[in-house]
Amino acid sequence: MKCPQIITMSLRSAIVALIGSVSVAEVVAAENWYPYDTEVWHSPFDIDSKRSLKPYSPLKSATKPWDICVSLPHVDDAYWLAINYGIVAESRRLGTKMHLLEAGGYSNLTRQIAQVEDCIDSDADAIVLGAISFEGLNDVIAKAKQHNIPVIDVANGVSSTKVTAKTLISISDLGLNTGRYLADRHPQGSKSVKVAWFPGPPGAGWVESADKGFISGLDGNRSIDVVETRYGDIDKKTQMKQIESVLANHPDLDYIVGTAVAAEASIQLLKEKKLSDQVKTVSYYYTPAVHQAIKRGEVLAATTDSTVIQGRVAIDQAVRILEGRSYDIHVAPKLFVVDAGNIGGLDETSMLAPVDFRATFRVNNK
C-alpha cells in the first residue's frame, strides 16, 4: 500500500523516455497511484468520530463516460490546483467526462450557487463540490438530491446531510500530527525545547481546529514549552513582523511552528539573524514552497493531506455511486509528516500538481 506513494525515479525516467514528448502530467495520469492509505469515518457527518484505516483502491475504469460537474472556489493557488490535477487525472484514468466551474474566490458564494444550479440544469450525472461556505450551499445541495444527482463534498466541508459522500480531512488532525511529530522528537523527560506557535488568523474556524489539534498532539509533554502563540493574518509581512518580535523576546528559541506562510517567512529572517542552525521550522500543512524548503534543509517538516489524492478519490466516489458500486460515505487520505527522512522516496504528485500542469476545466472522454 502507498502512504506515501513510492515510485522509483528510474521507473519514472524510463516511462518518460519511452513516451518521449508526453508531459509529466499526462504520464502520471496513467500511473497506478493506489492502493493508498486512507481513513474511513464511522459516523460520516461527524468529523470528530472514530475512523478506521483502509488501503483505498479505485475502480479500474468506468462503465461509461459519466458527465461529472465540478465546482471549486477557484484554481488560483497550489492547493486547489492540486485538487484540480487529481480530478483531471482520475477522470482521464477512469474514462469519465468532467467539466469544472470555478467561482473566482471565497467572496463569490452567489456565483458558486448559480454554478451548481447550472450543473443541475445541464443534467450532470454527479457533482463534486469544493464549497465556499459551510452553510451557504445547503439549499442547492438539497436541490441536487431532489434531482437524484449525487453530490461529493471535497476538501472544504459543508454542514448539509444531503451530500452523498465526502472526501474530507480533519483540519484538527493537521495540528495533531504536527504536535505529535514534535513530541516524538522530544519525549517526556528529555531536554526542554522552546516553541513559538503561529496558527493563523484569530477567530478563523480552521485556525481554532488546528490549534486544538496541535495542543492535543503535544499531549502535555513538559519537554516542549510553547513560549508564545501568535495569531495573525497569513500574509508574509504580518508573519515576518510577528516572528521577528518572538525572536527578540526569546533569543534561545528552538522551534517556529505554524502556517506555511510563517514557515516561508521564517527562512529569510533566520538567515538574516544567523539562527538557521539553532531554530528549526515546521509547517502544519503542505505547499510547493514548503516542499522545496524541506528538500533544501530550510524547513524541518510539514504535514501533508495528500491533496491530489483527495481529488482522485472524489471522482472515484462519484463513479462508484453512479454505478451502484460499494463506496465509503466519508473517506480521506491518512495524514503524515514529510521531512528529510522520507521526502526522497515520495511521489510528489500525490501531494502537488506537476510543475507543467495548468488549470484544466474539461475532460472529454468518449
Side-chain angles (χ1 to χ4, degrees):
M1 79 185 54
K2 303 174 183 177
C3 182
Q5 182 188 6
I6 305 295
I7 61 172
T8 65
M9 292 306 296
S10 59
L11 173 59
R12 176 171 288 170
S13 299
I15 294 172
V16 173
L18 284 169
I19 298 180
S21 62
V22 176
S23 72
V24 171
E26 288 172 314
V27 172
V28 174
E31 290 178 2
N32 290 336
W33 56 270
Y34 50 86
Y36 205 92
D37 276 355
T38 62
E39 292 183 316
V40 177
W41 271 250
H42 295 186
S43 298
F45 297 100
D46 179 5
I47 195 68
D48 295 321
S49 76
K50 292 182 179 180
R51 61 202 80 159
S52 299
L53 187 66
K54 177 180 179 177
Y56 193 96
S57 290
L59 299 172
K60 290 184 178 180
S61 64
T63 60
K64 60 181 285 188
W66 301 101
D67 185 8
I68 300 175
C69 188
V70 178
S71 175
L72 301 181
H74 60 80
V75 286
D76 296 332
D77 64 23
Y79 188 86
W80 289 107
L81 197 66
I83 294 281
N84 181 203
Y85 168 67
I87 285 168
V88 168
E90 197 62 11
S91 296
R92 288 174 176 165
R93 193 191 68 80
L94 285 171
T96 65
K97 296 178 183 178
M98 186 283 296
H99 62 283
L100 184 149
L101 305 169
E102 56 98 10
Y106 278 88
S107 61
N108 297 328
L109 175 59
T110 301
R111 184 183 299 174
Q112 187 172 46
I113 291 170
Q115 290 177 340
V116 176
E117 288 178 338
D118 287 344
C119 293
I120 297 169
D121 293 340
S122 68
D123 295 324
D125 293 309
I127 297 170
V128 171
L129 176 63
I132 283 175
S133 167
F134 189 63
E135 304 278 353
L137 289 125
N138 288 1
D139 287 345
V140 76
I141 291 169
K143 182 178 178 181
K145 185 169 184 178
Q146 290 171 359
H147 286 74
N148 295 316
I149 301 174
V151 176
I152 292 80
D153 175 19
V154 65
N156 273 356
V158 294
S159 62
S160 173
T161 58
K162 305 292 184 182
V163 296
T164 314
K166 292 173 176 278
T167 305
L168 183 68
I169 67 153
S170 164
I171 299 296
S172 178
D173 282 359
L174 290 172
L176 181 73
N177 276 258
T178 304
R180 285 177 174 169
Y181 179 80
L182 285 180
D184 287 343
R185 283 178 63 87
H186 304 281
Q188 186 88 347
S190 62
K191 182 182 176 182
S192 179
V193 293
K194 293 185 177 182
V195 175
W197 169 231
F198 300 85
W206 62 273
V207 172
E208 292 175 357
S209 294
D211 189 26
K212 178 182 176 183
F214 178 67
I215 299 305
S216 178
L218 295 179
D219 196 26
N221 188 330
R222 294 183 180 180
S223 294
I224 299 173
D225 182 12
V226 181
V227 293
E228 285 203 45
T229 297
R230 291 287 188 100
Y231 297 95
D233 290 339
I234 48 174
D235 62 89
K236 200 166 186 179
K237 183 178 179 180
T238 298
Q239 293 299 308
M240 287 186 75
K241 185 177 180 180
Q242 289 190 323
I243 293 167
E244 193 161 26
S245 173
V246 169
L247 288 171
N249 293 343
H250 304 280
D252 55 348
L253 191 70
D254 296 292
Y255 285 95
I256 291 169
V257 184
T259 66
V261 181
E264 293 168 31
S266 72
I267 294 170
Q268 180 179 338
L269 277 173
L270 293 176
K271 284 181 179 178
E272 290 174 358
K273 296 178 180 297
K274 297 182 173 22
L275 291 172
S276 298
D277 291 335
Q278 173 189 318
V279 183
K280 306 302 180 187
T281 302
V282 178
S283 172
Y284 71 82
Y285 60 86
Y286 216 77
T287 66
V290 167
H291 178 78
Q292 294 302 323
I294 294 172
K295 282 186 169 182
R296 294 191 299 266
E298 296 170 336
V299 168
L300 178 66
T303 301
T304 179
D305 62 358
S306 302
T307 316
V308 171
I309 302 301
Q310 292 183 60
R312 285 188 178 272
V313 170
I315 293 298
D316 183 66
Q317 281 180 305
V319 174
R320 286 176 174 276
I321 292 162
L322 292 169
E323 298 190 355
R325 311 285 191 96
S326 63
Y327 70 96
D328 299 301
I329 298 175
H330 186 173
V331 61
K334 180 176 172 57
L335 306 183
F336 63 94
V337 175
V338 178
D339 62 12
N342 61 5
I343 195 168
L346 298 181
D347 173 14
E348 298 175 12
T349 59
S350 66
M351 303 176 290
L352 306 169
V355 293
D356 66 339
F357 181 77
R358 299 295 179 266
T360 302
F361 297 89
R362 191 169 291 275
V363 173
N364 291 313
N365 286 306
K366 295 181 180 179

